[in-house]
Amino acid sequence: MDRQDRVALLVEHAKNPRHEGVLEDADVAMPGGGPECGGSVVVYLKGDGNGRIEGLSFTGQGDTISIGAASIAIQKVRDEGLTMVEVLDLDYGAFVERLGRDVVGSRTRNATLGLSTLKSAIRKYRRGKQSGP
Amino acid sequence: MTEQEILEKGYAHPEALVTTGWVAEHLDDTEHIRIVESDEDVLLYDIGHVPNAVKVDWVEDLNDPLTRDYLDPEHFASLMSEKGITPETTVVFYGDKNNWWATYALWVFRLFGHDNVRVMDGGRVKWEAEGRPMTQEVPSFERTDYPVPTRDDEKIRAFREDVERHIQGSNPLVDVRSPGEYSGELLHMPDYPQEGALRGGHIPGAANVPWARAVREDGTFKSAEELKGIYEGEADLSGDEDVIAYCRIGERSSHTWFVLTYLLGYDQVRNYDGSWTEWGNLVRAPIER
C-alpha cells in the first residue's frame, strides 16, 4: 500500500468503525484518551476466565487517526482470535508501522490509543481475576 | 477587505475575519493570499481541502521537536519560504473544530511578527456545509525568500513567572477548558487518564469560559455583543485590563486570545501556552478547585 492507500484505510475505518458499540455484559469498560484533545475511547472487554477474549467492542470519538486505528486494532484482535497474553505482547512500533509512519507522523499516541486502552482493559480484567472471590 | 456580513457583527477588528464567500472568490489570488489549513485531525487535509490551500501542522511544523517551545526564527522563515509566503502575503487560516487550531497557528505566526493574518469565519465545517469545492491536490508554490524574523515572546505570550506575578497582582485570568477540567473533577475520575498533569483544578482567581462558547452552531463567531455578554457580563473581564488565557497546552486558549484581541479589541491579552500541563505539575503552585 502507498501512503494514499494507508490514509484511505484509516479514513474508511474512522467513518465505519468495526465492532463499535457498548458491550452490555462486559467485565471491563476502560476509558482512554482525552475528550478535548485528539480522541477518547472506551474499550469493552469480556473474558472467558482462561485468558481468552469472549467479547470486545469500543466506542469513541476523535480524529481520524485515533478512531481509525482503534477500529483496526480491535478488528485485528477479533479476526485473529488473539488471547489476552498475545494482545499484551503486541508491539506498538509494529502496529504504527502497519498504519504507516508517513501517515501517523508524530501522532503515535493517537495511533495507539485504541490498542493501549485495550491493553489497559486486559490488565484491569486480570487484576480483577487475581483479587476476585 | 472587510465584508458587510462581518461588519454587522460589530467587532473591534472586523478585518481579522473573512467569510467563506470571500475565500471562494480569492482562491486563485495566490500571489497575494495564502490559504492555510490547520487542523486537530491531521488527515483532514489529505481527505480534501480548500483549493490552493497549504497545510500547516501544529505538531510537525510549529513546534520544536526537542524542547517544549515553538519553532525558532530560522525554521519559521524556512517554513514560510516552503509555503510560498512572503512577509507581505495575507495569510487566511481555517481549520476543523471551530477554527481552534487555525487560531493557534495564527497566534504562532503573530509571535514571529507576521501580522497580516485573517481567519475564515466558520472554518472547514462551514465551507463543507455550503458545498464549496474541495480537492486532494496539493498546490506547489515557488519558494520565497522570507527574511529570518525576530520572535517576540513578550507581548502575546505568557510564561509561568508572568502568571505568578499576574495572580499576585490579582489580575484577570480566563481558564478556557471544560468545567470538569476547571473544577479538577476530570483528573479524579477512576481510571481516567491524567492528561499530563498530576493535580487537577485551576489557577487561583481564574474565571471559567470554555473556549467554544465563542462560536455559533455553524462554526462562525458570535457577534461582539454576544461575546461581551459572555466575557464581560459573566466572566467580568475588561478590555482595559491585562488578561491571561490558558487551557491544557495553550491551543484552546489561543482561540480565546483571538476572540479577546481581535473581536473584542482588548489591548493586552497573553496566551499562557505552558497552561495546565505545566501549572498542574508545578511543585507548590497554588491551585483552586
mmCIF file of all heavy atoms in Angstrom, chain A residues 3-4 7 10-11 30-38 62-65 103-107 109 124, chain B residues 39-44 46-47 57-60 100 136 178 181 190-193 195 211 248 251-252:
data_model
loop_
_atom_site.group_PDB
_atom_site.id
_atom_site.type_symbol
_atom_site.label_atom_id
_atom_site.label_comp_id
_atom_site.label_asym_id
_atom_site.label_seq_id
_atom_site.Cartn_x
_atom_site.Cartn_y
_atom_site.Cartn_z
ATOM 1 N N ARG A 3 1.082 5.601 0.493
ATOM 2 C CA ARG A 3 0.574 6.478 1.548
ATOM 3 C C ARG A 3 -0.913 6.766 1.365
ATOM 4 O O ARG A 3 -1.684 6.741 2.340
ATOM 5 C CB ARG A 3 1.371 7.794 1.554
ATOM 6 C CG ARG A 3 0.953 8.718 2.663
ATOM 7 C CD ARG A 3 1.762 10.012 2.708
ATOM 8 N NE ARG A 3 1.388 10.787 3.856
ATOM 9 C CZ ARG A 3 0.301 11.560 3.917
ATOM 10 N NH1 ARG A 3 -0.509 11.644 2.883
ATOM 11 N NH2 ARG A 3 0.012 12.237 5.020
ATOM 12 N N GLN A 4 -1.302 7.031 0.140
ATOM 13 C CA GLN A 4 -2.708 7.356 -0.129
ATOM 14 C C GLN A 4 -3.630 6.207 0.274
ATOM 15 O O GLN A 4 -4.706 6.420 0.826
ATOM 16 C CB GLN A 4 -2.874 7.691 -1.621
ATOM 17 C CG GLN A 4 -4.063 8.587 -1.924
ATOM 18 C CD GLN A 4 -4.009 9.930 -1.212
ATOM 19 O OE1 GLN A 4 -2.940 10.479 -0.974
ATOM 20 N NE2 GLN A 4 -5.168 10.434 -0.813
ATOM 21 N N VAL A 7 -3.814 6.129 4.089
ATOM 22 C CA VAL A 7 -4.727 7.187 4.553
ATOM 23 C C VAL A 7 -6.171 6.741 4.335
ATOM 24 O O VAL A 7 -7.018 6.848 5.230
ATOM 25 C CB VAL A 7 -4.461 8.517 3.803
ATOM 26 C CG1 VAL A 7 -5.566 9.527 4.100
ATOM 27 C CG2 VAL A 7 -3.104 9.099 4.188
ATOM 28 N N LEU A 10 -7.397 4.244 6.957
ATOM 29 C CA LEU A 10 -7.722 4.875 8.240
ATOM 30 C C LEU A 10 -9.030 5.661 8.148
ATOM 31 O O LEU A 10 -9.865 5.601 9.057
ATOM 32 C CB LEU A 10 -6.587 5.818 8.660
ATOM 33 C CG LEU A 10 -5.424 5.190 9.429
ATOM 34 C CD1 LEU A 10 -4.259 6.165 9.518
ATOM 35 C CD2 LEU A 10 -5.853 4.766 10.833
ATOM 36 N N VAL A 11 -9.189 6.369 7.057
ATOM 37 C CA VAL A 11 -10.409 7.168 6.875
ATOM 38 C C VAL A 11 -11.624 6.256 6.824
ATOM 39 O O VAL A 11 -12.653 6.522 7.461
ATOM 40 C CB VAL A 11 -10.305 8.015 5.582
ATOM 41 C CG1 VAL A 11 -11.651 8.664 5.253
ATOM 42 C CG2 VAL A 11 -9.224 9.080 5.727
ATOM 43 N N MET A 30 -13.126 0.226 29.845
ATOM 44 C CA MET A 30 -11.919 1.015 30.126
ATOM 45 C C MET A 30 -11.866 2.267 29.260
ATOM 46 O O MET A 30 -11.808 2.177 28.040
ATOM 47 C CB MET A 30 -10.689 0.137 29.857
ATOM 48 C CG MET A 30 -9.362 0.867 29.947
ATOM 49 S SD MET A 30 -9.025 1.544 31.588
ATOM 50 C CE MET A 30 -8.717 0.048 32.513
ATOM 51 N N PRO A 31 -11.879 3.464 29.899
ATOM 52 C CA PRO A 31 -11.745 4.691 29.100
ATOM 53 C C PRO A 31 -10.283 5.003 28.815
ATOM 54 O O PRO A 31 -9.390 4.641 29.579
ATOM 55 C CB PRO A 31 -12.357 5.759 30.014
ATOM 56 C CG PRO A 31 -12.135 5.251 31.392
ATOM 57 C CD PRO A 31 -12.085 3.746 31.323
ATOM 58 N N GLY A 32 -10.054 5.674 27.709
ATOM 59 C CA GLY A 32 -8.696 6.101 27.370
ATOM 60 C C GLY A 32 -8.731 7.357 26.528
ATOM 61 O O GLY A 32 -9.725 7.644 25.864
ATOM 62 N N GLY A 33 -7.650 8.112 26.593
ATOM 63 C CA GLY A 33 -7.546 9.324 25.787
ATOM 64 C C GLY A 33 -8.179 10.519 26.456
ATOM 65 O O GLY A 33 -8.607 10.456 27.609
ATOM 66 N N GLY A 34 -8.229 11.599 25.719
ATOM 67 C CA GLY A 34 -8.771 12.839 26.264
ATOM 68 C C GLY A 34 -9.887 13.354 25.391
ATOM 69 O O GLY A 34 -9.711 13.507 24.183
ATOM 70 N N PRO A 35 -11.046 13.605 25.977
ATOM 71 C CA PRO A 35 -12.185 14.028 25.166
ATOM 72 C C PRO A 35 -11.973 15.373 24.475
ATOM 73 O O PRO A 35 -12.589 15.664 23.461
ATOM 74 C CB PRO A 35 -13.331 14.102 26.182
ATOM 75 C CG PRO A 35 -12.678 14.227 27.516
ATOM 76 C CD PRO A 35 -11.369 13.513 27.402
ATOM 77 N N GLU A 36 -11.113 16.214 25.000
ATOM 78 C CA GLU A 36 -10.925 17.542 24.417
ATOM 79 C C GLU A 36 -9.715 17.593 23.486
ATOM 80 O O GLU A 36 -9.533 18.559 22.768
ATOM 81 C CB GLU A 36 -10.772 18.581 25.526
ATOM 82 C CG GLU A 36 -12.079 18.932 26.200
ATOM 83 C CD GLU A 36 -12.846 20.045 25.492
ATOM 84 O OE1 GLU A 36 -12.240 20.782 24.723
ATOM 85 O OE2 GLU A 36 -14.056 20.159 25.721
ATOM 86 N N CYS A 37 -8.860 16.587 23.537
ATOM 87 C CA CYS A 37 -7.657 16.638 22.714
ATOM 88 C C CYS A 37 -7.439 15.303 22.024
ATOM 89 O O CYS A 37 -7.239 14.294 22.685
ATOM 90 C CB CYS A 37 -6.432 16.979 23.555
ATOM 91 S SG CYS A 37 -6.390 18.699 24.046
ATOM 92 N N GLY A 38 -7.431 15.280 20.719
ATOM 93 C CA GLY A 38 -7.179 14.059 19.964
ATOM 94 C C GLY A 38 -8.414 13.198 19.905
ATOM 95 O O GLY A 38 -9.229 13.331 19.015
ATOM 96 N N GLY A 62 -13.271 11.217 18.040
ATOM 97 C CA GLY A 62 -11.989 11.875 17.929
ATOM 98 C C GLY A 62 -11.540 11.990 16.493
ATOM 99 O O GLY A 62 -12.342 11.882 15.564
ATOM 100 N N ASP A 63 -10.251 12.180 16.319
ATOM 101 C CA ASP A 63 -9.738 12.430 14.981
ATOM 102 C C ASP A 63 -9.631 11.123 14.187
ATOM 103 O O ASP A 63 -9.825 10.027 14.715
ATOM 104 C CB ASP A 63 -8.402 13.179 15.034
ATOM 105 C CG ASP A 63 -7.303 12.370 15.676
ATOM 106 O OD1 ASP A 63 -7.551 11.205 16.060
ATOM 107 O OD2 ASP A 63 -6.181 12.883 15.797
ATOM 108 N N THR A 64 -9.323 11.272 12.922
ATOM 109 C CA THR A 64 -9.306 10.119 12.014
ATOM 110 C C THR A 64 -8.298 9.072 12.461
ATOM 111 O O THR A 64 -8.590 7.867 12.428
ATOM 112 C CB THR A 64 -8.973 10.604 10.586
ATOM 113 O OG1 THR A 64 -9.921 11.608 10.214
ATOM 114 C CG2 THR A 64 -9.020 9.469 9.593
ATOM 115 N N ILE A 65 -7.129 9.508 12.888
ATOM 116 C CA ILE A 65 -6.105 8.539 13.285
ATOM 117 C C ILE A 65 -6.543 7.774 14.535
ATOM 118 O O ILE A 65 -6.454 6.546 14.588
ATOM 119 C CB ILE A 65 -4.743 9.238 13.524
ATOM 120 C CG1 ILE A 65 -4.190 9.786 12.206
ATOM 121 C CG2 ILE A 65 -3.740 8.277 14.157
ATOM 122 C CD1 ILE A 65 -2.893 10.569 12.343
ATOM 123 N N VAL A 103 2.062 8.381 7.555
ATOM 124 C CA VAL A 103 0.700 8.874 7.752
ATOM 125 C C VAL A 103 0.539 9.387 9.187
ATOM 126 O O VAL A 103 0.004 10.469 9.419
ATOM 127 C CB VAL A 103 -0.330 7.752 7.495
ATOM 128 C CG1 VAL A 103 -1.739 8.219 7.824
ATOM 129 C CG2 VAL A 103 -0.237 7.274 6.056
ATOM 130 N N VAL A 104 1.023 8.603 10.109
ATOM 131 C CA VAL A 104 0.833 8.904 11.533
ATOM 132 C C VAL A 104 1.738 10.042 11.986
ATOM 133 O O VAL A 104 1.345 10.873 12.822
ATOM 134 C CB VAL A 104 1.103 7.629 12.363
ATOM 135 C CG1 VAL A 104 1.148 7.951 13.844
ATOM 136 C CG2 VAL A 104 0.045 6.576 12.054
ATOM 137 N N GLY A 105 2.935 10.112 11.446
ATOM 138 C CA GLY A 105 3.888 11.140 11.866
ATOM 139 C C GLY A 105 4.176 11.029 13.353
ATOM 140 O O GLY A 105 4.431 9.937 13.869
ATOM 141 N N SER A 106 4.076 12.149 14.033
ATOM 142 C CA SER A 106 4.351 12.128 15.469
ATOM 143 C C SER A 106 3.099 11.841 16.292
ATOM 144 O O SER A 106 3.142 11.862 17.520
ATOM 145 C CB SER A 106 4.955 13.464 15.901
ATOM 146 O OG SER A 106 4.073 14.508 15.552
ATOM 147 N N ARG A 107 1.970 11.572 15.612
ATOM 148 C CA ARG A 107 0.721 11.273 16.356
ATOM 149 C C ARG A 107 0.679 9.796 16.759
ATOM 150 O O ARG A 107 -0.335 9.120 16.559
ATOM 151 C CB ARG A 107 -0.487 11.599 15.486
ATOM 152 C CG ARG A 107 -1.097 12.953 15.724
ATOM 153 C CD ARG A 107 -0.292 14.062 15.179
ATOM 154 N NE ARG A 107 -1.032 15.313 15.177
ATOM 155 C CZ ARG A 107 -0.700 16.350 14.425
ATOM 156 N NH1 ARG A 107 0.354 16.290 13.651
ATOM 157 N NH2 ARG A 107 -1.389 17.461 14.481
ATOM 158 N N ARG A 109 0.656 8.624 19.725
ATOM 159 C CA ARG A 109 -0.248 8.446 20.864
ATOM 160 C C ARG A 109 -1.683 8.250 20.357
ATOM 161 O O ARG A 109 -2.412 7.394 20.860
ATOM 162 C CB ARG A 109 -0.156 9.668 21.785
ATOM 163 C CG ARG A 109 -0.977 9.545 23.036
ATOM 164 C CD ARG A 109 -0.610 10.619 24.046
ATOM 165 N NE ARG A 109 -1.613 10.725 25.074
ATOM 166 C CZ ARG A 109 -2.491 11.726 25.165
ATOM 167 N NH1 ARG A 109 -2.463 12.696 24.300
ATOM 168 N NH2 ARG A 109 -3.376 11.750 26.139
ATOM 169 N N LYS A 124 -6.635 -4.663 33.693
ATOM 170 C CA LYS A 124 -7.641 -4.488 34.748
ATOM 171 C C LYS A 124 -8.446 -5.772 34.936
ATOM 172 O O LYS A 124 -8.749 -6.165 36.069
ATOM 173 C CB LYS A 124 -8.578 -3.326 34.376
ATOM 174 C CG LYS A 124 -9.557 -2.993 35.490
ATOM 175 C CD LYS A 124 -10.341 -1.741 35.192
ATOM 176 C CE LYS A 124 -11.279 -1.427 36.365
ATOM 177 N NZ LYS A 124 -12.139 -0.278 36.085
ATOM 178 N N ASP B 39 -5.453 21.870 11.319
ATOM 179 C CA ASP B 39 -6.485 21.056 11.960
ATOM 180 C C ASP B 39 -5.955 20.305 13.163
ATOM 181 O O ASP B 39 -4.760 20.037 13.275
ATOM 182 C CB ASP B 39 -6.986 19.977 10.980
ATOM 183 C CG ASP B 39 -7.617 20.563 9.736
ATOM 184 O OD1 ASP B 39 -8.419 21.506 9.867
ATOM 185 O OD2 ASP B 39 -7.302 20.057 8.633
ATOM 186 N N GLU B 40 -6.890 19.902 13.999
ATOM 187 C CA GLU B 40 -6.535 18.913 15.007
ATOM 188 C C GLU B 40 -6.432 17.543 14.330
ATOM 189 O O GLU B 40 -5.495 16.795 14.553
ATOM 190 C CB GLU B 40 -7.582 18.837 16.113
ATOM 191 C CG GLU B 40 -7.186 17.817 17.168
ATOM 192 C CD GLU B 40 -8.260 17.517 18.167
ATOM 193 O OE1 GLU B 40 -9.424 17.373 17.771
ATOM 194 O OE2 GLU B 40 -7.925 17.426 19.354
ATOM 195 N N ASP B 41 -7.432 17.235 13.508
ATOM 196 C CA ASP B 41 -7.441 15.962 12.784
ATOM 197 C C ASP B 41 -6.530 16.103 11.570
ATOM 198 O O ASP B 41 -6.925 16.613 10.517
ATOM 199 C CB ASP B 41 -8.867 15.635 12.343
ATOM 200 C CG ASP B 41 -8.980 14.229 11.776
ATOM 201 O OD1 ASP B 41 -7.942 13.680 11.336
ATOM 202 O OD2 ASP B 41 -10.089 13.683 11.770
ATOM 203 N N VAL B 42 -5.319 15.604 11.740
ATOM 204 C CA VAL B 42 -4.258 15.914 10.791
ATOM 205 C C VAL B 42 -4.477 15.296 9.404
ATOM 206 O O VAL B 42 -3.858 15.716 8.440
ATOM 207 C CB VAL B 42 -2.901 15.495 11.406
ATOM 208 C CG1 VAL B 42 -2.765 13.981 11.395
ATOM 209 C CG2 VAL B 42 -1.740 16.156 10.722
ATOM 210 N N LEU B 43 -5.385 14.324 9.294
ATOM 211 C CA LEU B 43 -5.619 13.698 7.990
ATOM 212 C C LEU B 43 -6.699 14.398 7.164
ATOM 213 O O LEU B 43 -6.915 14.047 6.005
ATOM 214 C CB LEU B 43 -5.988 12.222 8.166
ATOM 215 C CG LEU B 43 -4.858 11.315 8.672
ATOM 216 C CD1 LEU B 43 -5.297 9.858 8.613
ATOM 217 C CD2 LEU B 43 -3.586 11.509 7.868
ATOM 218 N N LEU B 44 -7.375 15.367 7.747
ATOM 219 C CA LEU B 44 -8.454 16.031 7.017
ATOM 220 C C LEU B 44 -7.950 16.685 5.734
ATOM 221 O O LEU B 44 -8.626 16.659 4.709
ATOM 222 C CB LEU B 44 -9.132 17.084 7.901
ATOM 223 C CG LEU B 44 -10.042 16.553 9.009
ATOM 224 C CD1 LEU B 44 -10.653 17.713 9.787
ATOM 225 C CD2 LEU B 44 -11.137 15.669 8.439
ATOM 226 N N ASP B 46 -5.598 15.708 3.843
ATOM 227 C CA ASP B 46 -5.413 14.667 2.822
ATOM 228 C C ASP B 46 -6.747 14.235 2.234
ATOM 229 O O ASP B 46 -6.845 13.891 1.059
ATOM 230 C CB ASP B 46 -4.736 13.430 3.435
ATOM 231 C CG ASP B 46 -3.322 13.735 3.864
ATOM 232 O OD1 ASP B 46 -3.134 14.238 4.990
ATOM 233 O OD2 ASP B 46 -2.406 13.499 3.079
ATOM 234 N N ILE B 47 -7.773 14.230 3.066
ATOM 235 C CA ILE B 47 -9.088 13.790 2.605
ATOM 236 C C ILE B 47 -9.661 14.793 1.605
ATOM 237 O O ILE B 47 -10.324 14.430 0.641
ATOM 238 C CB ILE B 47 -10.041 13.615 3.812
ATOM 239 C CG1 ILE B 47 -9.526 12.486 4.723
ATOM 240 C CG2 ILE B 47 -11.462 13.329 3.369
ATOM 241 C CD1 ILE B 47 -10.204 12.421 6.069
ATOM 242 N N ASP B 57 0.877 21.982 10.018
ATOM 243 C CA ASP B 57 0.598 21.041 11.096
ATOM 244 C C ASP B 57 1.212 21.590 12.380
ATOM 245 O O ASP B 57 2.427 21.794 12.461
ATOM 246 C CB ASP B 57 1.231 19.692 10.737
ATOM 247 C CG ASP B 57 0.953 18.613 11.763
ATOM 248 O OD1 ASP B 57 0.642 18.947 12.923
ATOM 249 O OD2 ASP B 57 1.072 17.427 11.415
ATOM 250 N N TRP B 58 0.369 21.820 13.382
ATOM 251 C CA TRP B 58 0.863 22.470 14.610
ATOM 252 C C TRP B 58 1.933 21.629 15.312
ATOM 253 O O TRP B 58 2.812 22.173 15.973
ATOM 254 C CB TRP B 58 -0.292 22.783 15.558
ATOM 255 C CG TRP B 58 -0.914 21.588 16.208
ATOM 256 C CD1 TRP B 58 -1.858 20.775 15.663
ATOM 257 C CD2 TRP B 58 -0.629 21.074 17.510
ATOM 258 N NE1 TRP B 58 -2.176 19.782 16.539
ATOM 259 C CE2 TRP B 58 -1.449 19.939 17.681
ATOM 260 C CE3 TRP B 58 0.216 21.461 18.539
ATOM 261 C CZ2 TRP B 58 -1.429 19.188 18.848
ATOM 262 C CZ3 TRP B 58 0.240 20.713 19.701
ATOM 263 C CH2 TRP B 58 -0.572 19.590 19.851
ATOM 264 N N VAL B 59 1.881 20.319 15.157
ATOM 265 C CA VAL B 59 2.896 19.476 15.798
ATOM 266 C C VAL B 59 4.175 19.448 14.968
ATOM 267 O O VAL B 59 5.258 19.791 15.445
ATOM 268 C CB VAL B 59 2.384 18.033 15.991
ATOM 269 C CG1 VAL B 59 3.494 17.139 16.526
ATOM 270 C CG2 VAL B 59 1.203 18.002 16.924
ATOM 271 N N GLU B 60 4.020 19.049 13.711
ATOM 272 C CA GLU B 60 5.207 18.831 12.880
ATOM 273 C C GLU B 60 5.865 20.142 12.449
ATOM 274 O O GLU B 60 7.086 20.208 12.319
ATOM 275 C CB GLU B 60 4.837 18.039 11.620
ATOM 276 C CG GLU B 60 4.020 16.777 11.872
ATOM 277 C CD GLU B 60 4.878 15.609 12.327
ATOM 278 O OE1 GLU B 60 6.099 15.773 12.426
ATOM 279 O OE2 GLU B 60 4.299 14.541 12.592
ATOM 280 N N TRP B 100 -10.263 26.122 15.976
ATOM 281 C CA TRP B 100 -9.429 26.023 17.170
ATOM 282 C C TRP B 100 -7.951 26.049 16.785
ATOM 283 O O TRP B 100 -7.171 26.865 17.275
ATOM 284 C CB TRP B 100 -9.840 24.745 17.868
ATOM 285 C CG TRP B 100 -9.007 24.143 18.931
ATOM 286 C CD1 TRP B 100 -7.811 24.570 19.424
ATOM 287 C CD2 TRP B 100 -9.349 22.971 19.670
ATOM 288 N NE1 TRP B 100 -7.386 23.726 20.409
ATOM 289 C CE2 TRP B 100 -8.298 22.743 20.573
ATOM 290 C CE3 TRP B 100 -10.425 22.081 19.639
ATOM 291 C CZ2 TRP B 100 -8.312 21.659 21.456
ATOM 292 C CZ3 TRP B 100 -10.425 21.014 20.520
ATOM 293 C CH2 TRP B 100 -9.382 20.805 21.418
ATOM 294 N N GLN B 136 -8.039 17.142 -3.350
ATOM 295 C CA GLN B 136 -6.925 16.431 -2.709
ATOM 296 C C GLN B 136 -5.596 16.871 -3.313
ATOM 297 O O GLN B 136 -4.541 16.407 -2.888
ATOM 298 C CB GLN B 136 -7.102 14.918 -2.864
ATOM 299 C CG GLN B 136 -8.271 14.362 -2.056
ATOM 300 C CD GLN B 136 -8.356 12.843 -2.097
ATOM 301 O OE1 GLN B 136 -7.796 12.200 -2.988
ATOM 302 N NE2 GLN B 136 -9.055 12.270 -1.136
ATOM 303 N N SER B 178 -12.898 22.839 29.797
ATOM 304 C CA SER B 178 -14.258 22.434 30.141
ATOM 305 C C SER B 178 -14.473 22.598 31.655
ATOM 306 O O SER B 178 -13.510 22.595 32.429
ATOM 307 C CB SER B 178 -14.467 20.970 29.749
ATOM 308 O OG SER B 178 -13.579 20.149 30.488
ATOM 309 N N GLU B 181 -12.653 20.015 33.767
ATOM 310 C CA GLU B 181 -11.215 20.216 33.923
ATOM 311 C C GLU B 181 -10.949 21.365 34.902
ATOM 312 O O GLU B 181 -10.061 21.292 35.745
ATOM 313 C CB GLU B 181 -10.579 20.547 32.566
ATOM 314 C CG GLU B 181 -10.557 19.400 31.583
ATOM 315 C CD GLU B 181 -10.143 19.863 30.183
ATOM 316 O OE1 GLU B 181 -10.993 20.455 29.487
ATOM 317 O OE2 GLU B 181 -8.981 19.660 29.807
ATOM 318 N N PRO B 190 -12.104 7.707 38.333
ATOM 319 C CA PRO B 190 -11.363 6.453 38.379
ATOM 320 C C PRO B 190 -10.948 6.009 36.978
ATOM 321 O O PRO B 190 -11.748 6.094 36.042
ATOM 322 C CB PRO B 190 -12.364 5.453 38.971
ATOM 323 C CG PRO B 190 -13.487 6.246 39.478
ATOM 324 C CD PRO B 190 -13.460 7.583 38.834
ATOM 325 N N ASP B 191 -9.728 5.584 36.839
ATOM 326 C CA ASP B 191 -9.202 5.052 35.575
ATOM 327 C C ASP B 191 -9.119 6.096 34.466
ATOM 328 O O ASP B 191 -8.878 5.769 33.320
ATOM 329 C CB ASP B 191 -10.051 3.870 35.067
ATOM 330 C CG ASP B 191 -9.995 2.707 36.012
ATOM 331 O OD1 ASP B 191 -8.906 2.464 36.566
ATOM 332 O OD2 ASP B 191 -11.030 2.067 36.224
ATOM 333 N N TYR B 192 -9.389 7.347 34.797
ATOM 334 C CA TYR B 192 -9.348 8.360 33.748
ATOM 335 C C TYR B 192 -7.909 8.811 33.531
ATOM 336 O O TYR B 192 -7.161 8.964 34.483
ATOM 337 C CB TYR B 192 -10.216 9.568 34.124
ATOM 338 C CG TYR B 192 -10.731 10.278 32.910
ATOM 339 C CD1 TYR B 192 -11.889 9.856 32.286
ATOM 340 C CD2 TYR B 192 -10.014 11.326 32.363
ATOM 341 C CE1 TYR B 192 -12.351 10.476 31.147
ATOM 342 C CE2 TYR B 192 -10.461 11.959 31.215
ATOM 343 C CZ TYR B 192 -11.634 11.523 30.613
ATOM 344 O OH TYR B 192 -12.070 12.127 29.486
ATOM 345 N N PRO B 193 -7.496 9.003 32.272
ATOM 346 C CA PRO B 193 -6.113 9.421 32.036
ATOM 347 C C PRO B 193 -5.814 10.767 32.681
ATOM 348 O O PRO B 193 -6.690 11.623 32.804
ATOM 349 C CB PRO B 193 -6.035 9.534 30.514
ATOM 350 C CG PRO B 193 -7.446 9.658 30.056
ATOM 351 C CD PRO B 193 -8.267 8.895 31.035
ATOM 352 N N GLU B 195 -4.055 13.197 31.666
ATOM 353 C CA GLU B 195 -3.898 14.345 30.775
ATOM 354 C C GLU B 195 -2.602 15.104 31.027
ATOM 355 O O GLU B 195 -2.519 16.304 30.842
ATOM 356 C CB GLU B 195 -5.084 15.323 30.915
ATOM 357 C CG GLU B 195 -6.354 14.796 30.328
ATOM 358 C CD GLU B 195 -6.492 15.148 28.859
ATOM 359 O OE1 GLU B 195 -5.495 15.124 28.129
ATOM 360 O OE2 GLU B 195 -7.607 15.432 28.442
ATOM 361 N N TRP B 211 -13.795 27.630 25.743
ATOM 362 C CA TRP B 211 -13.455 28.347 24.514
ATOM 363 C C TRP B 211 -14.550 28.348 23.455
ATOM 364 O O TRP B 211 -14.785 29.340 22.787
ATOM 365 C CB TRP B 211 -12.177 27.751 23.926
ATOM 366 C CG TRP B 211 -12.366 26.352 23.408
ATOM 367 C CD1 TRP B 211 -12.429 25.207 24.155
ATOM 368 C CD2 TRP B 211 -12.572 25.960 22.049
ATOM 369 N NE1 TRP B 211 -12.655 24.123 23.342
ATOM 370 C CE2 TRP B 211 -12.737 24.553 22.043
ATOM 371 C CE3 TRP B 211 -12.618 26.644 20.844
ATOM 372 C CZ2 TRP B 211 -12.954 23.828 20.888
ATOM 373 C CZ3 TRP B 211 -12.829 25.916 19.672
ATOM 374 C CH2 TRP B 211 -12.994 24.534 19.706
ATOM 375 N N ARG B 248 -4.980 23.640 28.410
ATOM 376 C CA ARG B 248 -4.147 22.497 28.773
ATOM 377 C C ARG B 248 -2.737 22.654 28.215
ATOM 378 O O ARG B 248 -1.760 22.449 28.931
ATOM 379 C CB ARG B 248 -4.777 21.201 28.252
ATOM 380 C CG ARG B 248 -4.176 19.927 28.818
ATOM 381 C CD ARG B 248 -4.876 18.707 28.249
ATOM 382 N NE ARG B 248 -4.524 18.508 26.853
ATOM 383 C CZ ARG B 248 -3.517 17.742 26.421
ATOM 384 N NH1 ARG B 248 -2.785 17.085 27.297
ATOM 385 N NH2 ARG B 248 -3.265 17.616 25.147
ATOM 386 N N GLU B 251 -3.575 25.654 23.234
ATOM 387 C CA GLU B 251 -4.212 25.700 21.910
ATOM 388 C C GLU B 251 -5.630 26.259 22.002
ATOM 389 O O GLU B 251 -5.986 27.165 21.259
ATOM 390 C CB GLU B 251 -4.220 24.324 21.216
ATOM 391 C CG GLU B 251 -3.897 23.127 22.064
ATOM 392 C CD GLU B 251 -4.921 22.871 23.123
ATOM 393 O OE1 GLU B 251 -4.945 23.638 24.112
ATOM 394 O OE2 GLU B 251 -5.714 21.924 23.010
ATOM 395 N N ARG B 252 -6.420 25.717 22.922
ATOM 396 C CA ARG B 252 -7.782 26.247 23.058
ATOM 397 C C ARG B 252 -7.743 27.715 23.476
ATOM 398 O O ARG B 252 -8.566 28.529 23.054
ATOM 399 C CB ARG B 252 -8.566 25.427 24.094
ATOM 400 C CG ARG B 252 -9.045 24.091 23.596
ATOM 401 C CD ARG B 252 -9.660 23.259 24.702
ATOM 402 N NE ARG B 252 -8.670 22.600 25.546
ATOM 403 C CZ ARG B 252 -8.968 21.822 26.583
ATOM 404 N NH1 ARG B 252 -10.226 21.643 26.923
ATOM 405 N NH2 ARG B 252 -8.023 21.243 27.287
#
